[in-house]
Amino acid sequence: MKLKLFLCLLFGIFTINTFAQKQQPNKLQIGQINRGYGMFIHFGVNTFNETEWSDGSLPVSSYNPAHLDCDQWIKTAKEAGFRYVILVTKHHDGFCLWNSKYTDYDVASSPVKTDVVAEVAKACKKYGLKLGLYYSLWDRHEPTYKNDFPAYLGYMKNQLTELMTNYGDICELWFDGNWDKKEEEWKIADIYKYVRAMQPDCMITVNHTIGKPTNIHAIQQPLDYKDGNPIRYFPVDFRIKDPNLARWDDPKYYTYNGKSYYLPFEHTLCLSDRWNWFQKKAILPARPLDELEELYYWCTANNNIMIMDVPPDETGRIRTHERFRLLELADRLGIRDGKSPLPAGPVNLTFDKAVKATSETNGHPAKMAADYSLETYWEAKDTVASLEIDFGKSTVFDRVSLMENADMKDLKDGFSYIRTFKIQQYELQYFSNSKWDTFYTGDLIGAAKIINLPEKITAEKIRLKIMAASGHPSISHIAVSENSTRGLRRYDPAK
Amino acid sequence: MKLKLFLCLLFGIFTINTFAQKQQPNKLQIGQINRGYGMFIHFGVNTFNETEWSDGSLPVSSYNPAHLDCDQWIKTAKEAGFRYVILVTKHHDGFCLWNSKYTDYDVASSPVKTDVVAEVAKACKKYGLKLGLYYSLWDRHEPTYKNDFPAYLGYMKNQLTELMTNYGDICELWFDGNWDKKEEEWKIADIYKYVRAMQPDCMITVNHTIGKPTNIHAIQQPLDYKDGNPIRYFPVDFRIKDPNLARWDDPKYYTYNGKSYYLPFEHTLCLSDRWNWFQKKAILPARPLDELEELYYWCTANNNIMIMDVPPDETGRIRTHERFRLLELADRLGIRDGKSPLPAGPVNLTFDKAVKATSETNGHPAKMAADYSLETYWEAKDTVASLEIDFGKSTVFDRVSLMENADMKDLKDGFSYIRTFKIQQYELQYFSNSKWDTFYTGDLIGAAKIINLPEKITAEKIRLKIMAASGHPSISHIAVSENSTRGLRRYDPAK
């Protein structure tokens, strides 16, 4: 007993010491975590030119929305249950969505002179949403960027003064495009201090906050998110690494000059099934509802937050089918019109459980279908395959969600892509009383399939049997849970 | 004014006269219509021999359920919201599910001697469900059937006495297999009277009640269901024509010897996506939930009723995945545990509206996608196609359901089949304020896709744009409606 007590005390001291080195989330971070779910808006000269990125040479006259309706954007955001909006005020092309004194490459010089930042800010006030802004550090239009970089840093500060003083409270500021220069050239500490003085409550960050930039075309696991990893830009208030998905259990503490800082992660997700950030002329499909529901739970778990890109089209409005999909998701989550608190998904019972499969391809073992990453996946060698999860004890569930990993085909623009899913026929079985029993038969899974069972199952194991597929079946995640474990989502000090 | 009054009177007299010729539904028919939704149970020697039909030579010893559990069948029926059960007591093979004094080709001579009719009757009483029975006129085992047909008619009467006197109240009696003899040979009037004397409240019918038998392998429109068509077997109390689907507006009055009789239609549907009536060893998929919901509305509309075949397997139990599908459907319909009245679907606004398409194949014009038959369909000539419905006026809706017509591949048994659906990418658009707007993007439709919109649309037209298909896209029905027009289902004297 005495030894135990001694060990407890020792452990207690050790914990306190470790704890002492780590900075706790501050009030602003807790506020941001609780805000949780935002709409990301890409709109600008690219919208009118069928492109995701442009080099600053697209004519300002091409920006020409016939029915610009920023009120409709924010009304939709409110109805869809979003708590805040992040507006792209200037993308890498340098085109400014507000009337900037410092450039003619802006809305004021275009056929439609409406100050979009002002209109969005007004609508956010009207609908009770917070406003955040995105500003690209990289600027492919402004001549000083190439000719006189110190002058460009001044240009940026001038524009940031416009953005930070003319549009009321700004809850977040996102810097992007930093990869075009070395980290230190951006003088982030200076900019941070400059912005902070104008907007004391603004959460500021730089993409990608942690780790080296990866090929943004691929979905890659942010393996560099390890507790204690160095912070690339300092200071920052939260992490982004567009377009990666963090691990469900991603750590929160990162270091700068040996000191530990708490940094929540803001996920970025496209509503579009083609993963286009800027709208295109063609009607592109929205992501399936089941996928959006699962991604919402994943991206807002573990004190992380999520913004979803909903780009207005060349008429200046959010498209009906995308608006409807957002409203359907809001109905699923019970947050229509923002009247209810954000929900948390049910507790997933497959994490860390023993997984085996009839076959695996190199680098994609069975366990990756039930690990903490959505970016890893199990892949079978054959078109017929089984994946089995052993709970290790009698387990009750009434919800299964399957997320299939797709074959990706890049589209011509080099950013967006088409996904092809392969599973064509499958069964779900549970193991109880020493035998397997089939409780669900399905054909296609697609990006995600949520199966809510009409009654609870008690089982020791679960098995996905794939009977037909057009290629190697591949599952990025299988979640098993009890619907009754759903709860409300807010900052949880335990995480 | 006087002329109008005269015409009214004249019309009134005419109506009364027509009316006078027609028999109104009787109390038993109204009771049957209100019962509305039943479970059909095929179980017998075929269950153990991988076949739908057999010739009476399968050994009685092959009937051998290891865990026969009739209580589980009826408990499932109750939980799934069914109001009654129709049990196949003897199929064409002649095998009897009860202990019959008149044959050894029955359960009593098999390894598992449980009287299944008795067990089902007991469970129906326990769970408060009505019991109906199916009895095949055709008998491929009983020797008198071929050798001494008058003796066989006596055999039948003896067996019917057993069935009608030993198991309590029987709400329906289904005769089937009649096609093996000429109509008159069955002496239906005699059998009817015989049964009626034992079970005064039993609804009796013969398959197929109206029209000549069709190839039962194909889904064919019962075009022979026209008001005033002759009744093939008389008397009968309701119509069946397994496995056809009646027109939504199918008539109710049929004639015998110049007199008109009211006959509701009882639809028969398989829960199995392979349309197997008897269970097979392999786990076969259940029909998709959206299809079952739409078929329920269709089959129980217009004072018609529906029974769904849910076959127990060779262990003697209803399979978990089929049980779950029934419970999911019950949850959709709000009839779980039979606690709520049966619902009626929303009012379909596409019936009788102007329909056009970019292309049509012979015999499958556009209008067949919005007619009163689920067995007719529109088929396009190209894999890219549009179907447009003009409401003729401004119309409000928040629900669209699409039913795709499949390519059918018969399986080896000659009865069941695999369906292949072809549409791979589509959009739904509405026309309002002189322009088309896309409100939904989808990939596969499959047997049915129900789209509940998150808000109402007001439009003059609706368009289905098919962008990709693996063959000729084909739609058996597109329904547009307002969810608020759902109601409760019961006998409606107006129909």
Side-chain angles (χ1 to χ4, degrees):
Chain A
M1 288 295 282
K2 270 181 187 166
L3 180 67
K4 257 194 187 170
L5 182 68
F6 173 74
L7 285 173
C8 280
L9 284 170
L10 190 71
F11 182 71
I13 290 159
F14 179 75
T15 308
I16 290 162
N17 276 348
T18 312
F19 201 77
Q21 292 166 11
K22 287 185 172 179
Q23 204 183 65
Q24 288 301 290
N26 58 39
K27 269 194 185 174
L28 290 179
Q29 287 175 320
I30 292 173
Q32 184 191 38
I33 293 166
N34 287 336
R35 208 150 53 229
Y37 184 49
M39 185 193 266
F40 202 10
I41 303 177
H42 283 67
F43 184 70
V45 73
N46 291 346
T47 308
F48 302 83
N49 290 279
E50 297 287 288
T51 185
E52 295 291 326
W53 282 23
S54 56
D55 64 3
S57 68
L58 290 173
V60 71
S61 61
S62 63
Y63 173 89
N64 193 12
H67 306 287
L68 181 64
D69 188 355
C70 302
D71 189 273
Q72 186 249 6
W73 307 356
I74 310 306
K75 182 169 181 282
T76 294
K78 176 68 179 182
E79 290 172 345
F82 290 113
R83 269 44 179 176
Y84 64 111
V85 161
I86 306 285
L87 176 67
V88 173
T89 61
K90 184 191 88 167
H91 205 245
H92 314 320
D93 50 68
F95 180 81
C96 297
L97 267 193
W98 76 101
N99 180 0
S100 175
K101 263 193 285 191
Y102 307 98
T103 184
D104 288 336
Y105 202 53
D106 67 354
V107 286
S109 307
S110 84
V112 177
K113 301 184 194 321
T114 308
D115 184 321
V116 174
V117 183
E119 287 299 304
V120 167
K122 195 175 86 182
C124 281
K125 199 162 276 179
K126 176 177 167 185
Y127 293 105
L129 269 65
K130 300 269 184 191
L131 174 64
L133 303 176
Y134 163 113
Y135 182 88
S136 174
L137 296 169
W138 188 22
D139 191 317
R140 302 172 78 184
H141 180 86
E142 169 54 28
T144 56
Y145 184 87
K146 276 195 177 161
N147 308 337
D148 184 358
F149 192 67
Y152 175 72
L153 290 177
Y155 171 86
M156 264 179 53
K157 278 191 177 176
N158 286 332
Q159 289 205 322
L160 288 169
T161 303
E162 291 179 326
L163 291 172
M164 294 293 135
T165 58
N166 292 333
Y167 303 103
D169 289 342
I170 304 301
C171 69
E172 285 187 21
L173 178 59
W174 254 70
F175 290 120
D176 193 18
N178 36 291
W179 52 80
D180 196 53
K181 300 275 178 193
K182 288 183 189 141
E183 277 95 330
E184 59 274 20
E185 291 185 81
W186 293 112
K187 301 189 189 308
I188 290 297
D190 181 45
I191 298 177
Y192 182 95
K193 199 173 143 193
Y194 186 76
V195 172
R196 173 66 64 241
M198 294 183 280
Q199 292 279 350
D201 292 347
C202 183
M203 302 291 291
I204 303 165
T205 196
V206 183
N207 187 30
H208 311 84
T209 319
I210 310 291
K212 288 290 167 191
T214 54
N215 172 7
I216 67 155
H217 300 185
I219 295 189
Q220 298 178 337
Q221 186 183 23
L223 289 172
D224 44 359
Y225 282 17
K226 290 210 175 73
D227 210 344
N229 271 161
I231 301 168
R232 286 178 67 202
Y233 300 93
F234 195 86
V236 287
D237 301 312
F238 64 106
R239 281 171 298 142
I240 49 179
K241 192 182 180 186
D242 176 50
N244 284 132
L245 298 175
R247 290 169 54 92
W248 185 285
D249 63 343
D250 93 312
K252 293 289 179 291
Y253 287 98
Y254 300 88
T255 50
Y256 192 79
N257 280 349
K259 209 180 154 193
S260 174
Y261 296 89
Y262 183 96
L263 294 178
F265 185 79
E266 184 170 67
H267 284 94
T268 48
L269 192 78
C270 283
L271 175 58
S272 165
D273 199 63
R274 297 280 186 272
W275 216 310
N276 58 291
W277 289 98
F278 283 94
Q279 199 54 274
K280 300 292 175 286
K281 282 205 173 63
I283 299 286
L284 298 174
R287 279 179 198 264
L289 194 53
D290 277 9
E291 183 188 21
L292 290 171
E293 182 182 341
E294 287 304 285
L295 287 176
Y296 163 85
Y297 293 138
W298 193 283
C299 294
T300 63
N302 186 30
N303 291 335
N304 285 335
I305 57 183
M306 163 180 166
I307 55 176
M308 179 138 62
D309 186 52
V310 184
D313 70 6
E314 79 284 0
T315 72
R317 291 173 58 87
I318 291 171
R319 287 180 171 162
T320 304
H321 73 290
E322 296 200 331
R323 193 177 119 71
F324 275 17
R325 182 53 42 91
L326 293 174
L327 299 183
E328 286 178 285
L329 178 60
D331 286 339
R332 277 269 186 105
L333 300 174
I335 56 171
R336 188 76 173 263
D337 299 321
K339 280 177 184 157
S340 306
L342 295 176
V347 176
N348 185 357
L349 304 167
T350 59
F351 282 142
D352 264 350
K353 294 298 181 296
V355 189
K356 63 180 183 183
T358 46
S359 70
E360 304 171 338
T361 59
N362 267 349
H364 304 294
K367 67 175 181 185
M368 287 187 169
D371 67 7
Y372 289 94
S373 169
L374 266 193
E375 300 189 349
T376 62
Y377 52 89
W378 161 62
E379 189 180 61
K381 263 187 189 164
D382 197 353
T383 54
V384 172
S386 280
L387 180 77
E388 186 180 317
I389 300 173
D390 189 339
F391 299 121
K393 60 175 181 184
S394 185
T395 296
V396 177
F397 63 93
D398 57 9
R399 185 180 194 273
V400 179
S401 92
L402 302 168
M403 301 192 77
E404 188 175 337
N405 178 59
D407 282 348
M408 304 292 216
K409 184 184 155 191
D410 271 8
L411 297 181
K412 281 181 224 160
D413 60 16
F415 294 90
S416 48
Y417 55 76
I418 287 185
R419 300 188 288 184
T420 303
F421 297 98
K422 293 160 284 181
I423 295 170
Q424 294 176 327
Q425 202 199 334
Y426 67 98
E427 279 178 24
L428 284 168
Q429 304 179 314
Y430 68 94
F431 186 82
S432 180
N433 296 321
S434 308
K435 67 172 174 34
W436 287 103
D437 189 18
T438 297
F439 64 92
Y440 189 86
T441 53
D443 40 25
L444 305 169
I445 294 174
K449 174 79 186 168
I450 297 173
I451 299 158
N452 286 305
L453 305 178
E455 58 185 33
K456 292 184 184 188
I457 285 177
T458 304
E460 294 113 59
K461 301 180 198 174
I462 185 171
R463 183 158 73 185
L464 169 66
K465 266 186 74 174
I466 297 159
M467 276 95 83
S470 63
H472 290 175
S474 181
I475 294 287
S476 54
H477 200 75
I478 174 169
V480 170
S481 55
E482 256 192 291
N483 269 311
S484 60
T485 59
R486 279 163 205 281
L488 295 180
R489 182 201 164 278
R490 63 187 315 283
Y491 169 68
D492 177 359
K495 281 172 182 164
Chain B
M1 288 292 280
K2 271 180 190 169
L3 179 66
K4 257 191 188 169
L5 183 66
F6 172 74
L7 287 172
C8 281
L9 285 170
L10 190 72
F11 182 71
I13 290 159
F14 179 76
T15 309
I16 289 162
N17 276 348
T18 312
F19 202 74
Q21 292 166 9
K22 289 186 172 178
Q23 202 184 65
Q24 289 300 290
N26 57 38
K27 267 194 186 175
L28 290 180
Q29 287 176 320
I30 292 173
Q32 184 191 40
I33 294 166
N34 287 337
R35 209 150 53 228
Y37 184 50
M39 187 194 264
F40 202 9
I41 303 178
H42 283 66
F43 184 69
V45 72
N46 292 345
T47 308
F48 302 83
N49 289 280
E50 296 289 287
T51 185
E52 295 290 325
W53 283 24
S54 55
D55 63 3
S57 68
L58 290 173
V60 71
S61 61
S62 63
Y63 172 88
N64 193 12
H67 306 286
L68 181 64
D69 188 355
C70 301
D71 189 274
Q72 186 249 7
W73 307 356
I74 310 306
K75 182 170 183 279
T76 294
K78 176 69 178 181
E79 289 171 346
F82 291 113
R83 268 46 177 173
Y84 64 111
V85 161
I86 306 285
L87 176 66
V88 174
T89 61
K90 184 192 87 168
H91 206 246
H92 316 320
D93 49 69
F95 180 81
C96 297
L97 267 193
W98 75 102
N99 180 359
S100 175
K101 266 194 280 190
Y102 307 97
T103 184
D104 290 337
Y105 202 52
D106 67 353
V107 287
S109 308
S110 83
V112 177
K113 299 181 196 324
T114 309
D115 184 322
V116 174
V117 183
E119 286 299 303
V120 167
K122 193 176 90 181
C124 281
K125 199 162 277 180
K126 174 177 168 186
Y127 293 106
L129 269 65
K130 300 269 186 194
L131 173 64
L133 303 178
Y134 164 113
Y135 182 87
S136 175
L137 297 170
W138 188 24
D139 191 317
R140 303 173 77 182
H141 180 86
E142 170 53 30
T144 56
Y145 184 86
K146 276 194 178 160
N147 307 337
D148 182 359
F149 193 66
Y152 176 72
L153 289 178
Y155 173 85
M156 263 179 54
K157 278 192 179 175
N158 286 333
Q159 289 207 322
L160 288 169
T161 303
E162 291 180 325
L163 290 172
M164 293 296 135
T165 57
N166 292 334
Y167 303 103
D169 290 341
I170 303 300
C171 69
E172 285 187 22
L173 176 61
W174 255 70
F175 290 120
D176 193 19
N178 37 291
W179 53 81
D180 196 51
K181 301 273 178 195
K182 288 185 187 140
E183 277 96 333
E184 58 275 19
E185 292 184 78
W186 293 112
K187 303 192 188 304
I188 290 297
D190 181 45
I191 298 178
Y192 182 95
K193 201 174 142 195
Y194 186 77
V195 171
R196 171 67 63 239
M198 294 183 280
Q199 292 277 351
D201 292 348
C202 183
M203 302 290 292
I204 302 166
T205 198
V206 184
N207 187 30
H208 310 85
T209 321
I210 311 291
K212 290 287 168 193
T214 54
N215 172 6
I216 68 156
H217 300 185
I219 295 189
Q220 297 178 339
Q221 186 182 21
L223 288 173
D224 43 359
Y225 282 16
K226 291 212 173 70
D227 211 343
N229 271 162
I231 302 170
R232 288 178 65 201
Y233 301 92
F234 194 85
V236 288
D237 301 313
F238 65 105
R239 281 172 297 143
I240 50 179
K241 192 181 181 186
D242 175 50
N244 284 133
L245 298 175
R247 291 169 52 93
W248 185 285
D249 63 343
D250 93 314
K252 292 289 176 291
Y253 287 98
Y254 299 88
T255 51
Y256 191 78
N257 281 348
K259 206 179 156 196
S260 175
Y261 295 89
Y262 183 96
L263 295 178
F265 184 80
E266 184 170 68
H267 284 95
T268 48
L269 192 79
C270 283
L271 175 58
S272 165
D273 199 63
R274 297 279 186 272
W275 215 310
N276 58 292
W277 289 99
F278 283 93
Q279 199 55 275
K280 300 293 175 287
K281 282 206 174 64
I283 298 288
L284 297 174
R287 279 181 199 262
L289 194 53
D290 277 7
E291 183 189 22
L292 290 171
E293 182 182 340
E294 287 304 285
L295 288 176
Y296 163 85
Y297 292 138
W298 193 283
C299 295
T300 62
N302 187 30
N303 291 336
N304 285 336
I305 57 182
M306 164 181 166
I307 54 176
M308 180 140 60
D309 186 51
V310 184
D313 69 7
E314 80 284 359
T315 71
R317 292 172 58 86
I318 291 172
R319 287 181 170 161
T320 305
H321 73 290
E322 296 199 331
R323 193 177 119 71
F324 275 17
R325 182 51 45 88
L326 294 174
L327 299 182
E328 286 178 285
L329 178 60
D331 287 339
R332 276 270 185 104
L333 300 174
I335 56 170
R336 187 78 174 261
D337 299 322
K339 282 178 185 158
S340 306
L342 295 176
V347 175
N348 184 358
L349 303 167
T350 59
F351 282 143
D352 265 349
K353 295 298 182 295
V355 189
K356 63 180 184 181
T358 47
S359 69
E360 303 169 338
T361 58
N362 268 348
H364 305 293
K367 67 176 181 185
M368 288 188 168
D371 66 8
Y372 289 94
S373 169
L374 266 193
E375 300 190 348
T376 62
Y377 52 88
W378 160 63
E379 188 180 63
K381 266 187 187 161
D382 197 354
T383 55
V384 172
S386 281
L387 181 77
E388 188 179 315
I389 300 174
D390 189 338
F391 299 119
K393 61 176 181 183
S394 186
T395 295
V396 178
F397 63 92
D398 58 7
R399 186 180 193 274
V400 179
S401 91
L402 303 168
M403 299 192 80
E404 188 176 337
N405 178 58
D407 283 347
M408 303 292 216
K409 185 184 156 192
D410 271 7
L411 296 182
K412 281 181 228 162
D413 59 17
F415 294 90
S416 51
Y417 54 76
I418 287 185
R419 301 189 288 185
T420 304
F421 297 97
K422 293 161 282 182
I423 295 170
Q424 294 176 326
Q425 201 196 336
Y426 67 99
E427 279 178 25
L428 284 167
Q429 304 180 313
Y430 69 93
F431 187 81
S432 178
N433 296 319
S434 309
K435 65 173 173 38
W436 288 102
D437 189 19
T438 297
F439 64 91
Y440 190 85
T441 54
D443 39 26
L444 305 170
I445 292 173
K449 174 79 187 170
I450 297 173
I451 299 157
N452 286 305
L453 305 177
E455 59 185 32
K456 291 183 183 187
I457 285 178
T458 304
E460 294 116 57
K461 301 179 200 174
I462 186 171
R463 183 159 72 186
L464 169 67
K465 267 186 75 173
I466 297 160
M467 276 94 85
S470 63
H472 290 175
S474 182
I475 294 288
S476 54
H477 199 75
I478 173 168
V480 171
S481 55
E482 256 191 292
N483 268 311
S484 59
T485 61
R486 278 164 206 279
L488 295 182
R489 183 200 163 278
R490 59 187 320 281
Y491 170 67
D492 178 358
K495 279 174 184 162

